[in-house]
Structure formats: structure tokens, C-alpha cells
Amino acid sequence: MFLIQDKKDLSSSDFIKIKDILSGKYVNKEVKLRGWIYRKREQKQIIFIILRDSSGIIQLACKGIKDAEKATIESSIQVSGIVKEDQRAPGGYEIEVKDLKIIGLAERFPITKDQSEEFLRDMRHLWIRSQKLTTIFKIRSELFKAIRKFYDERGFYEIQSPIFTKLGCEGGSTLFEVKYGDKKGVYLSQSWQLYAEAMIYSLERIFTLAPSFRAEKSRTRRHLSEYWHHEMEAAWITHDQLMEFEEDLIIYIVKHMLKHCKDELIELGRDLKELEKIKKPFLKITYKEAIEILGKQYGHDLTDKDERELLEKIGKGPIFITSFPREMKAFYMKKDPKDPKTVLASDLLLPGVGEVTGGSERISDLDELKESLKIFKLKKEDYKWYIDLRKYGSVPHSGFGLGIERLLMWLTCVDHIMDAIPFPRTIDRVYP
Ligand code: 4AD
């Protein structure tokens, strides 16, 4: 089963989890449970309550139990009773309640059926109790676990970079400026990358899981202004090796999820066959080939819609787009020696979502970096420490960044990125 293994409750060993009852080991035994009232149905002699806790839901049959009448939807309760097998009950088990105690009586719950998305987002602090979001966030938790396990097995170090920074990494237009005492030009980090490039000189192979910030003007179903960013950086690896590494990571995550969250994925309606089929190498096409397929001019920046169209036209699996024109990408990317108008960079597109990772080999040569800063109209003085890295034992290196919520959208098939993070932040929303 999933996540909470047979660990004892921290505050009391008397209470058991619903999933343990559903596993069948408590039939005809007396148990104590606690949780929240998910649904309630009253008949003449009997009140049926569906109780939920973090591990699942179970039916309570309450006959002559006084507090069962008073208990409202979302009240927190504590019950004891006998476990009975009952095929009519959800999950196949029911509790014949002997005692029920209300811990926190709920006022009339504001969320009922058929409410607008906007209303539910205003009520996010309560809506996160829904079965759908609970399942998504269990998968999210497992995703972090899978990523850490992957890197641990490969001997990487997990390391962090500052959130307050003076350096733009991914272009000025999406930088969030913050008030920082009397200092000007302090921003929230768009990426750990520039600092990661300094840290590989000692740790060599590193990764992080951290928030990144983008003052996105785009109101799309895959843009947040605060998202969780998994990034990796490694010395001595080329762009080709980087793409293979990304393939290994995605396949590892998929296998981990199929092993540990199969029930949850099925519950969300995920087609597991698509996940089971994934194998390397992933399809790779150049930017030039991509725009030819789309019938666009060279120089056209691929939009969300273009990416979806590409995925539909050339296959349902993951696709790397490579060989982007230099000016379309970031200043730190290494020119392709075979075609210097393009860079050694790639975006990985996943079906239904589009771009989920962006990676590249970095410029390791001092003169190439200075030239690139000039082309991108960035001031040398601002990047002084970053330039230094090319002066003291420079080394070929590569890395990528992956949007956790976008990967989760693909894994769980949720339509909107806002449902892949507990409290979404977009250009229009910072509440609740
Ligand atoms: O392609 P991006 O901008 O690349 C970087 O930040 C590099 N410095 C990463 C690196 O090489 N270390 O962002 C990487 C990924 C994207 O592919 C996307 O999945 C996600 O971050 N991302 C966003 N996710 C949600 N909302 C946004 N506004 C995002 N912007 C980027």
C-alpha cells in the first residue's frame, strides 16, 4: 500500500488508520478511529456516515448513537466500533459504531456540489480536503521521494542556492523585484542554476528541489508565478549525456509511480498503458524540423499550442526538441561547434503538457561567455562572479531544470497546473 506504512500514530497508538481496516485484518474486532465526516445519510433507525482520514474512507453504521445525529459534514470525530465485512459498503467493510464523540463540530460547510472553479480556488484551504486533491498530493509527495531516491542511488549531493539574488538567469521580463532594505535590483530566484555552476567545482554532481519564481504575464494552464523546480547540474557531462540522463530520470520516476501509486493513478483516471510503454531513447527532433512540421517560419518561438500540436502529430510519447537558434535561448548555453548558430540545448515535451524540462551544456570558455553576454546585452559587471568560474579550472558541464507541477500534470492527467500545487500562485492569485 501507499505512503503511510504501518507506522504507529504519533500521538496515540490506540487509533488505527482506515486503510488498515480495508486490508481486512480487523474483521469482527473492535477498533478506534478518528477523522472527518465526508458524507452523511440518515434513515429511520440508522445513520450512515462516511468517515475519511488521510489513508482512505470507510462507512460507519450508527444505530441509537446520539452524537451521530448532531455531527455535521466535515466535523472531526472519534469513534469506536466493530469491523464488519459488508459488500454494500464502499471498500467492502463497515464499522458498527458503539461510541462516537464529536471533537470539532463543523459549521455548515461552504463547499457543495457544482460550484465554479473560481469559487473552489477561493476556498482552496477547505477544498484541499477533497478526495481528488488529496490523491494528487499523495502522488506529489511520492514524486519528491522518487527524485531523491534516483539521485541518492547515483551518488549526487542535494544542495540549495539563495532565493534572493541579483542575477537574472532566464531573462529580465519574468524577474520579480523585491524590496530588500535600501538595495535596488534584488529579485526572487528564477533558477538555482548559476549558483549550481559554482557548486559543481567542489561537489561535481548535484541536484535541488526548490521554489522558483517567474513574473509570468502568461495566463495559461501550465504557468505559475511560484513553482517547484527540480534542477540538476554535473561536471564532466555533455549535452548528449544529459539527455540520456533525463530519459533515465523520467523512466525511473514512472516505474516508481507505477509501483507505489498505482491505485491513486487509476483513481484519477490515468491511462497506465501510456506510462508502461515509455522507454529510451526518446524521440529527438531539431527546432528546424519542428517548425517545418508546424509549417512555421524559422525564428518562430514555439507556443504551448505548437508543442501540443507537435506531440499529436509525431507520436504520443516524450519528445526532445534540440538545436535551438542561439538568440532564442539563454546566454549561458554553449554554441554547437558543428552549427554555431544553434546551441547545445533541449526541451523535453510530454504529452498533454508540452515542455517539462529545459537543459543545456553550459559555456565553459571565458571568451565565449564574454561574447554571449554582449550578444544578450547583459552587463559584464553584473556577472562578475559567474565569469570568474571560467577563470579558475573551468570544466565542461551540463544541467537541466524540470517543473515539478508540469510533470505532475502529466503523471496525474490534471488539466490545470493550479491543481498540481496545494496553494497556487499565479499573476492573478495570491489568496488563500
Ligand atoms: O526552461 P527553464 O526556464 O530553464 C531554467 O530555468 C534553467 N535555468 C534550468 C536549468 O538548466 N537548471 O525552466 C525549466 C522548467 C521548464 O521546462 C518548466 O517545466 C518549468 O521549469 N517552468 C515552469 N513551471 C511552471 N510555471 C512556470 N511559470 C514555469 N517556468 C518554467
Side-chain angles (χ1 to χ4, degrees), residues 174 215-225 304 426-428:
T174 61
E216 294 284 1
K217 315 250 166 349
S218 356
R219 292 178 172 83
T220 76
R221 55 176 204 99
R222 59 173 211 182
H223 283 94
L224 290 167
S225 47
D304 291 20
T426 65
I427 210 68
D428 300 314

Side-chain angles (χ1 to χ4, degrees), residues 12 50 52 75 80 84 88 92 95 168 196 239 248 268 272 282 286 306 311 315 317-318 332 335 344 358 388 410 429:
S12 164
I50 303 286
R52 64 166 181 86
S75 291
S80 62
K84 294 285 170 194
R88 292 164 304 175
I95 313 277
H239 179 235
D248 288 339
L268 294 173
L272 298 187
F282 296 169
T286 62
D306 294 333
L311 285 155
Y332 52 74
K335 279 186 291 190
L344 293 170
D388 266 358
W410 175 67
R429 180 169 288 281

Side-chain angles (χ1 to χ4, degrees), residues 65-244:
I65 307 282
K66 246 180 111 220
D67 272 2
E69 288 165 31
K70 277 197 251 155
T72 47
I73 297 291
E74 286 305 317
S75 291
S76 52
I77 59 170
Q78 189 172 301
V79 289
S80 62
I82 311 287
V83 180
K84 294 285 170 194
E85 235 170 320
D86 189 334
Q87 288 316 312
R88 292 164 304 175
Y93 298 91
E94 183 180 85
I95 313 277
E96 264 180 30
V97 174
K98 288 172 122 188
D99 186 42
L100 183 152
K101 191 170 157 207
I102 298 172
I103 305 295
L105 184 68
E107 292 180 21
R108 192 184 162 78
F109 203 59
I111 300 174
T112 53
K113 268 192 184 157
D114 302 324
Q115 276 157 329
S116 72
E117 287 291 312
E118 218 28 43
F119 176 82
L120 292 176
R121 283 182 184 138
D122 284 339
M123 287 287 148
R124 189 65 165 200
H125 51 300
L126 301 177
W127 183 232
I128 44 170
R129 303 176 185 194
S130 70
Q131 292 293 301
K132 184 177 173 188
L133 290 183
T134 304
T135 306
I136 294 169
F137 298 141
K138 284 180 179 177
I139 296 172
R140 184 182 164 106
S141 166
E142 200 62 35
L143 174 59
F144 278 72
K145 218 194 259 180
I147 293 174
R148 291 206 160 100
K149 200 156 169 270
F150 174 85
Y151 283 96
D152 191 39
E153 287 172 16
R154 280 156 188 76
F156 275 64
Y157 296 100
E158 180 170 0
I159 192 82
Q160 296 75 31
S161 68
I163 296 292
F164 292 126
T165 169
K166 287 183 77 74
L167 285 190
C169 182
E170 300 301 323
S173 68
T174 61
L175 278 171
F176 266 114
E177 189 160 6
V178 289
K179 210 170 165 291
Y180 196 90
D182 56 2
K183 288 201 169 32
K184 287 259 174 283
V186 178
Y187 308 98
L188 296 179
S189 171
Q190 294 170 313
S191 162
W192 83 325
Q193 181 196 322
L194 303 186
Y195 293 96
E197 288 187 61
M199 295 189 281
I200 54 149
Y201 285 78
S202 52
L203 298 172
E204 293 194 34
R205 292 149 72 86
I206 56 177
F207 78 99
T208 205
L209 281 159
S212 278
F213 303 87
R214 305 281 166 110
E216 294 284 1
K217 315 250 166 349
S218 356
R219 292 178 172 83
T220 76
R221 55 176 204 99
R222 59 173 211 182
H223 283 94
L224 290 167
S225 47
E226 175 182 328
Y227 70 98
W228 278 74
H229 206 170
H230 158 52
E231 296 181 84
M232 126 346 160
E233 194 73 29
W236 316 109
I237 82 162
T238 62
H239 179 235
D240 283 338
Q241 290 168 323
L242 181 76
M243 284 191 287
E244 196 178 344

Side-chain angles (χ1 to χ4, degrees), residues 277-417:
K277 269 198 309 225
I278 287 180
K279 57 176 193 310
K280 68 178 194 181
F282 296 169
L283 187 63
K284 294 183 184 75
I285 61 167
T286 62
Y287 163 81
K288 192 159 167 282
E289 287 164 337
I291 54 154
E292 275 163 17
I293 294 168
L294 294 167
K296 298 269 157 71
Q297 296 285 324
Y298 194 87
H300 168 76
D301 220 343
L302 297 177
T303 62
D304 291 20
K305 197 168 148 276
D306 294 333
E307 289 180 358
R308 279 200 300 279
E309 201 179 318
L310 265 179
L311 285 155
E312 267 155 36
K313 281 194 167 145
I314 56 174
K316 300 261 179 267
I319 306 172
F320 275 113
I321 305 188
T322 65
S323 310
F324 286 93
R326 188 184 190 185
E327 60 285 357
M328 200 175 270
K329 288 290 189 184
F331 76 94
Y332 52 74
M333 294 178 178
K334 186 179 163 77
K335 279 186 291 190
D336 184 346
K338 289 196 214 110
D339 180 8
K341 285 201 177 64
T342 67
V343 278
L344 293 170
S346 49
D347 287 351
L348 177 64
L349 314 188
L350 292 178
V353 185
E355 184 198 326
V356 170
T357 79
S360 64
E361 188 164 335
R362 323 303 193 186
I363 295 175
S364 53
D365 178 75
L366 183 61
D367 292 333
E368 189 181 333
L369 179 60
K370 284 184 180 162
E371 179 207 38
S372 184
L373 288 169
K374 213 183 263 171
I375 291 173
F376 283 86
K377 298 193 171 59
L378 297 168
K379 286 193 211 125
K380 251 187 353 211
E381 308 77 71
D382 292 344
Y383 289 82
K384 196 170 167 303
W385 69 257
Y386 184 73
I387 296 169
D388 266 358
L389 305 177
R390 277 73 191 165
K391 292 185 187 168
Y392 305 103
S394 191
V395 63
H397 62 288
S398 304
F400 71 89
L402 173 156
I404 289 286
E405 289 77 19
R406 290 195 186 175
L407 183 62
L408 202 57
M409 281 175 81
W410 175 67
L411 287 169
T412 60
C413 279
V414 299
D415 268 351
H416 204 294
I417 196 163

